[in-house]
Amino acid sequence: GDSVTQMEGPVTLSEEAFLTINCTYTATGYPSLFWYVQYPGEGLQLLLKATKADDKGSNKGFEATYRKETTSFHLEKGSVQVSDSAVYFCALTGSNFGNEKLTFGTGTRLTIIP
Amino acid sequence: DADVTQTPRNRITKTGKRIMLECSQTKGHDRMYWYRQDPGLGLRLIYYSFDVKDINKGEISDGYSVSRQAQAKFSLSLESAIPNQTALYFCATRGGDYEQYFGPGTRLTVT
């Protein structure tokens, strides 16, 4: 079945550091890929998405590129801020009609220190 | 107002009790979902519904049941709560794109 493996946390960085959170996946066909973010005490929010190979999703300074050859969707940001502290989830959904399941990675807790 | 709301936000209950978690949405979406989140396990799908008449089990449906009372309402029930159902529960909806919109979550503790 489908699965998502993401970098284990917690990750602690200083403000303005470069961020990479690795995510690889296993799926049949051509899944859509997502990064969700969960701020303390809140539900998940979609951060960015990519629906086909070589697409780059971007939002709030974060980027991730859908790499089918390496089955990866790594999250990057050039200069993190304290407000980026949250838990980040990589996820995918299948390409087949009616495949409703969002498969999540286990989440990576990110803490940014001033 | 939030698009997806959940009640209650926090609940402590005893083993063996029946409990219902409620979810309402104002996005007009047909598809709704219930997930549970456990530390180190990410989110796992309990049940999902394509519309009022179409309800499907997810990967961890044992011990849970659901009711889709209307397009906007999707309730999750624990018929006889047990301690390993202690978790954070999320409701979500999905529209025409692939994005799912999550509620704020219900923190459930079973003692």
Side-chain angles (χ1 to χ4, degrees):
Chain A
D2 297 346
S3 67
V4 175
T5 302
Q6 66 180 100
M7 179 175 169
E8 286 198 21
V11 174
T12 302
L13 295 172
S14 297
E15 204 165 23
E16 299 184 1
F18 184 85
L19 169 71
T20 300
I21 301 178
N22 291 336
C23 172
T24 57
Y25 68 89
T26 301
T28 55
Y30 301 91
S32 294
L33 303 175
F34 307 85
W35 277 100
Y36 279 83
V37 59
Q38 184 180 26
Y39 298 103
E42 298 183 14
L44 279 72
Q45 304 172 24
L46 181 67
L47 180 59
L48 53 83
K49 67 180 180 184
T51 58
K52 61 182 189 294
D54 299 325
D55 268 2
K56 177 185 284 188
S58 61
N59 186 26
K60 299 181 181 179
F62 291 89
E63 293 183 340
T65 301
Y66 187 164
R67 302 284 189 201
K68 189 162 178 61
E69 64 276 14
T70 54
T71 62
S72 65
F73 192 54
H74 304 321
L75 182 68
E76 297 182 336
K77 186 175 185 182
S79 177
V80 293
Q81 306 301 312
V82 172
S83 58
D84 294 326
S85 298
V87 181
Y88 292 81
F89 292 91
C90 185
L92 67 83
T93 191
S95 57
N96 299 326
F97 176 75
N99 186 340
E100 298 293 315
K101 183 170 179 280
L102 253 185
T103 299
F104 286 89
T106 54
T108 301
R109 182 176 300 277
L110 174 66
T111 301
I112 308 301
I113 54 177
Chain B
D1 287 343
D3 294 323
V4 183
T5 57
Q6 294 183 233
T7 55
R9 293 294 311 276
N10 288 282
R11 180 71 183 266
I12 300 173
T13 192
K14 294 184 185 295
T15 297
K17 293 291 188 181
R18 184 178 189 274
I19 183 168
M20 179 182 288
L21 309 183
E22 299 187 345
C23 175
S24 295
Q25 53 112 347
T26 58
K27 298 193 73 68
H29 292 164
D30 287 326
R31 293 170 164 85
M32 297 187 73
Y33 308 80
W34 275 104
Y35 293 90
R36 68 176 277 174
Q37 183 181 19
D38 299 277
L41 293 177
L43 277 77
R44 294 179 292 167
L45 183 63
I46 306 172
Y47 272 94
Y48 59 100
S49 171
F50 289 157
D51 61 38
V52 174
K53 295 181 180 180
D54 190 346
I55 293 176
N56 304 274
K57 293 182 178 180
E59 59 184 311
I60 54 163
S61 59
D62 287 349
Y64 301 95
S65 62
V66 290
S67 173
R68 185 82 184 267
Q69 300 95 326
Q71 186 202 39
K73 295 185 182 296
F74 192 36
S75 300
L76 176 72
S77 294
L78 288 66
E79 297 300 326
S80 180
I82 56 177
N84 76 0
Q85 291 178 312
T86 293
L88 191 53
Y89 290 85
F90 288 103
C91 175
T93 73
R94 198 192 103 167
D97 60 12
Y98 288 109
E99 181 174 352
Q100 293 194 14
Y101 300 84
F102 286 79
T106 295
R107 185 168 296 281
L108 176 66
T109 302
V110 183
T111 61

